[in-house]
Amino acid sequence: MNTLFDKIWDSHVVEVVPDGPTQLYIDRLYCHEVTSPQAFEGLRQRGLKVFRPKQVYCMPDHNVQTHDQDKPVTDPIGRKQIDTLDRNCEEFGLTEFKMNTKDNGIIHVIGPEKGLSLPGMTIVCGDSHTSTHGAMGAVAFGIGTSEVEMVLASQCILQQKPKSMRININGKLSDGVTAKDVALYLMSKLTTSGATGYFVEYSGDVVRNMSMDGRLTLCNLSIEMGARGGFVAPDETTFEYIKGREYAPKGEDWDKAVAYWKTLKSGDDAVFDKELNFDGADIEPRITYGTNPGMGIGISESVPTLDQIPEEEQASFKKALNYMGFVPGEKLEGHPIDYVFLGACTNGRIEDFRAFTNIVKGKHKAENIVAWLVPGSWHVKKQIEDEGLDKILNEAGFEIRQPGCSACLAMNDDKIPAGKYSVSTSNRNFEGRQGPGSRTILASPLVAAAAAITGKITDPRKL
């Protein structure tokens, strides 16, 4: 019996090139301002139109500032990229959710939120965290700029079919443990290359009991284990989330869609190329100590010692610790930090803000902390205000910024200064990712909130 990945992939195959790649039909292409300009230029040079403009949605997010969005972006490169996207969308007749409009936000937050990303779809974008949309029960993956051009021109892409992996996480998560902790735990177990060449289906009690926001976080981080993408089979949680959203099917179409979506699951006798099992009870709140997302520990654990690291990895381990200013065997709980960032396509949704607010309610931000709380979309910002979370956060010394990718990556004003420590809910902690010389500790919204209140790495279960 086929896996769900096989079902979705095989139903989108246009042609298989003998001894070569598969020509795969794409249901949805998302474009942002950074990886699309050369793709549009390529169409122009070849005198081509966009083949199926109604299946393409565009928005700026990476370069957008998170304050004064009614003013132009000050960075000349960022401004040029945003202006170019505006011009390209107009010229090629594409839907664009423009900067500082109610529809704008981070592309991987907007797709699911608007009901544009649906079960059974193939979804691509010139961005590695496209795997996020897999939470909807879709096959979603990042592509390069030349492939963006290919999809614009033909609504198809040439791809080698990845192998399939199922990761089962059973049991129950403890209090204070979130989907982000689950993802960071998996990365530390598999390493950043452990799922290379695979498409991952997440399964088991823990995944079934996750909200959609949690699943979106989990799938977002699939790429950080080296996977081509990751997804969760659609279920009642998925249907409930999609129902009534702007672009979701309505009326009779809705009933037909749900009937089809209910068939989207791996058979009981499906065979995966690789299958792994984990117990949710083994996971505690997590933090990273190094310069890739796989270099992580439980918050009560210590940084590994040199003898725990394979010999061939010791040089890069030492280099990472040197960059971070940590030493082998050190306990990081209690380590002072400077910045806290809540947001990104990993943790910029309403549940993330609810979780953060829950911890800081009735307390106050530490004096030494600069905190950036950045919603993933204008819709999330409105939810925060409608639920009164902004008032609770303001009383605790925090302000809500305007939506954008923000401090996830150093492509806008929100940069962490050199040498400063940031507890961040984003997805990458590479050297300089949040700003040249910045030191990033990846964590969940709960760990970020605890750090914002205490000014140091703190186990949220102790608050």
Side-chain angles (χ1 to χ4, degrees):
M1 182 71 180
N2 283 355
T3 66
L4 175 53
F5 175 70
D6 290 328
K7 285 183 191 176
I8 299 174
W9 181 279
D10 295 349
S11 67
H12 286 77
V13 170
V14 178
E15 202 177 338
V16 179
V17 179
D19 301 320
T22 302
Q23 184 186 9
L24 195 70
Y25 183 76
I26 298 301
D27 294 306
R28 184 80 71 225
L29 169 67
Y30 294 119
C31 289
H32 60 65
E33 78 275 29
V34 180
T35 55
S36 65
Q38 299 89 336
F40 285 109
E41 195 49 45
L43 293 187
R44 225 174 258 119
Q45 286 170 3
R46 291 156 65 196
L48 295 173
K49 290 186 166 76
V50 173
F51 182 56
R52 294 213 162 141
K54 284 190 163 52
Q55 280 159 256
V56 183
Y57 288 82
C58 309
M59 71 206 74
D61 56 10
H62 283 54
N63 292 290
V64 170
Q65 72 264 35
T66 61
H67 54 86
D68 303 326
Q69 278 190 20
D70 50 339
K71 299 191 175 87
V73 168
T74 50
D75 176 67
I77 295 170
R79 190 168 68 242
K80 189 178 182 191
Q81 287 184 337
I82 290 171
D83 292 347
T84 302
L85 182 66
D86 291 348
R87 201 174 62 245
N88 285 331
C89 290
E90 207 164 303
E91 182 183 333
F92 289 96
L94 302 177
T95 302
E96 184 192 7
F97 301 140
K98 290 191 175 188
M99 181 176 155
N100 203 32
T101 64
K102 70 174 176 59
D103 295 312
N104 182 253
I106 303 173
I107 210 158
H108 305 313
V109 173
I110 295 287
E113 180 180 274
K114 285 194 168 294
L116 284 165
S117 302
L118 298 172
M121 278 187 166
T122 49
I123 300 171
V124 296
C125 172
D127 188 282
S128 50
H129 295 104
T130 308
S131 57
T132 310
H133 306 267
M136 310 308 298
V139 166
F141 52 93
I143 57 175
T145 299
S146 59
E147 293 170 311
V148 172
E149 184 183 338
M150 196 188 295
V151 179
L152 287 169
S154 67
Q155 208 57 41
C156 290
I157 193 170
L158 292 174
Q159 286 282 297
Q160 294 287 358
K161 185 178 180 180
K163 292 182 287 188
S164 62
M165 180 192 288
R166 181 159 63 186
I167 296 180
N168 304 301
I169 311 145
N170 283 306
K172 198 169 178 292
L173 296 179
S174 310
D175 285 349
V177 178
T178 69
K180 178 65 165 286
D181 300 303
V182 173
L184 289 170
Y185 176 80
L186 293 177
M187 281 184 259
S188 72
K189 293 295 179 194
L190 272 82
T191 75
T192 48
S193 59
T196 301
Y198 290 93
F199 222 94
V200 175
E201 178 175 345
Y202 297 104
S203 187
D205 308 331
V206 165
V207 179
R208 271 192 294 278
N209 291 324
M210 267 182 199
S211 64
M212 281 309 300
D213 282 6
R215 294 175 188 185
L216 287 157
T217 296
L218 179 62
C219 291
N220 173 273
L221 289 152
S222 305
I223 187 75
E224 308 306 340
M225 307 185 296
R228 199 71 189 87
F231 69 101
V232 177
D235 57 15
E236 290 304 326
T237 302
T238 323
F239 312 149
E240 196 56 40
Y241 177 90
I242 297 167
K243 194 171 188 177
R245 291 190 183 263
E246 192 177 342
Y247 289 88
K250 307 282 189 296
E252 217 174 291
D253 290 341
W254 170 258
D255 298 333
K256 275 188 202 153
V258 172
Y260 163 59
W261 296 341
K262 283 181 174 172
T263 69
L264 296 176
K265 48 179 181 273
S266 293
D268 294 338
D269 49 359
V271 179
F272 292 80
D273 295 301
K274 193 170 189 178
E275 192 149 10
L276 298 171
N277 296 293
F278 297 97
D279 185 348
D282 294 340
I283 307 172
E284 69 168 336
R286 310 276 305 174
I287 48 172
T288 58
Y289 61 83
T291 52
N292 74 53
M295 298 177 84
I297 50 174
I299 197 157
S300 68
E301 295 172 348
S302 305
V303 175
T305 51
L306 208 54
D307 57 2
Q308 292 173 289
I309 304 295
E311 203 172 329
E312 67 276 11
E313 292 169 25
Q314 287 182 5
S316 62
F317 172 76
K318 284 185 203 162
K319 182 174 180 279
L321 285 194
N322 189 42
Y323 179 84
M324 291 298 293
F326 297 146
V327 295
E330 182 182 358
K331 264 211 179 307
L332 297 187
E333 205 180 336
H335 193 287
I337 56 143
D338 310 288
Y339 283 74
V340 166
F341 171 50
L342 173 68
C345 59
T346 317
N347 285 118
R349 298 175 188 83
I350 188 62
E351 277 185 16
D352 303 310
F353 281 81
R354 287 178 190 146
F356 190 99
T357 307
N358 210 20
I359 294 275
V360 305
K361 188 176 183 175
K363 303 180 182 74
H364 204 275
K365 182 181 76 65
E367 287 301 316
N368 61 309
I369 295 294
V370 176
W372 290 329
L373 276 49
V374 187
S377 69
W378 284 94
H379 176 67
V380 173
K381 190 173 195 296
K382 186 177 183 306
Q383 284 178 295
I384 290 166
E385 289 160 2
D386 289 348
E387 294 181 19
L389 303 183
D390 56 328
K391 291 186 179 66
I392 299 168
L393 290 164
N394 290 159
E395 279 166 21
F398 300 93
E399 62 157 330
I400 303 288
R401 294 170 83 89
Q402 293 174 319
C405 288
S406 184
C408 176
L409 76 177
M411 287 184 79
N412 52 69
D413 297 348
D414 300 350
K415 295 183 180 74
I416 309 296
K420 297 293 183 188
Y421 287 98
S422 156
V423 168
S424 175
T425 66
S426 53
N427 39 49
R428 287 186 171 159
N429 54 345
F430 304 157
E431 287 190 19
R433 169 80 177 182
Q434 291 195 287
S438 61
R439 294 159 159 174
T440 302
I441 295 150
L442 298 179
S444 75
L446 295 179
V447 173
I453 292 299
T454 61
K456 54 195 179 199
I457 296 171
T458 302
D459 188 334
R461 295 171 298 186
K462 292 180 180 172
L463 291 183

